[in-house]
Amino acid sequence: MQHETEARMTNPAYVLPEAGAAIQDLVKATRQGGAPESVLELVHLRASQINNCGFCVDYGAKSARKAGVSDEKLFAVAAWRETPYFSDEERAALALAEAATRLADASDAVPDAVWDAAADHFDEKQLAAIVLMVGLTNLFNRLNVTVRQPAGVGL
């Protein structure tokens, strides 16, 4: 596939303005759950990497940096299990994000061990924010990959 400099079409969330507004309301809701913004940004970035969404990886890395995520973590998030940079809390959130993104990869897509590790570090509202962020990220990824939204270009 060639590198596209132009999307196939306007992002569907902008074509249908009510959709865009609803999505933005959901994004705002994730910020009300009490999960650290840096954790929400890391799970967004990791899910976007898994889904090969160049637009979201680019945007997510920039947004994570603004949220205070270190360059070490940004450069290593794809290999978070193999690096010393992530806290136990971040590791639990990243494992949950990976499992919830790769639903078709296993019959028990989000195993109890993954869920329990996240629940050890986050309360119900924080978990809700993380799960919602993962779901929204997967939505963003599917929209942007489908229309080939180019990285580094504003919507």
Side-chain angles (χ1 to χ4, degrees), residues 58 74 79 86 149:
D58 178 69
L74 288 176
F86 299 90
Q149 183 66 43

Side-chain angles (χ1 to χ4, degrees), residues 13-133:
Y14 289 95
V15 173
L16 304 172
E18 296 83 7
I23 292 167
Q24 288 306 312
D25 286 345
L26 288 170
V27 171
K28 289 176 190 171
T30 66
R31 300 313 199 248
Q32 297 169 1
E37 186 149 352
S38 59
V39 168
L40 296 175
E41 295 295 345
L42 285 170
V43 300
H44 171 78
L45 181 56
R46 184 64 191 122
S48 296
Q49 290 172 333
I50 291 166
N51 289 324
N52 295 315
C53 182
F55 179 87
C56 291
V57 168
D58 178 69
Y59 181 87
K62 292 171 183 171
S63 186
R65 181 176 278 149
K66 285 181 187 174
V69 175
S70 70
D71 283 347
E72 287 176 329
K73 289 179 182 180
L74 288 176
F75 301 148
V77 71
W80 61 269
R81 286 180 180 86
E82 312 304 326
T83 65
Y85 308 126
F86 299 90
S87 68
D88 290 343
E89 176 182 72
E90 291 166 332
R91 290 174 185 282
L94 288 165
L96 180 59
E98 287 185 356
T101 296
R102 293 181 165 141
L103 294 175
D105 290 355
S107 61
D108 185 15
V110 182
D112 288 341
V114 169
W115 180 263
D116 292 346
D120 285 345
H121 295 283
F122 302 101
D123 66 26
E124 187 171 39
K125 281 184 77 171
Q126 292 170 321
L127 281 169
I130 293 166
V131 170
L132 187 57
M133 177 54 82

Side-chain angles (χ1 to χ4, degrees), residues 5-16:
T5 57
E6 198 171 303
R8 289 175 165 158
M9 66 176 278
T10 302
N11 189 290
Y14 289 95
V15 173
L16 304 172

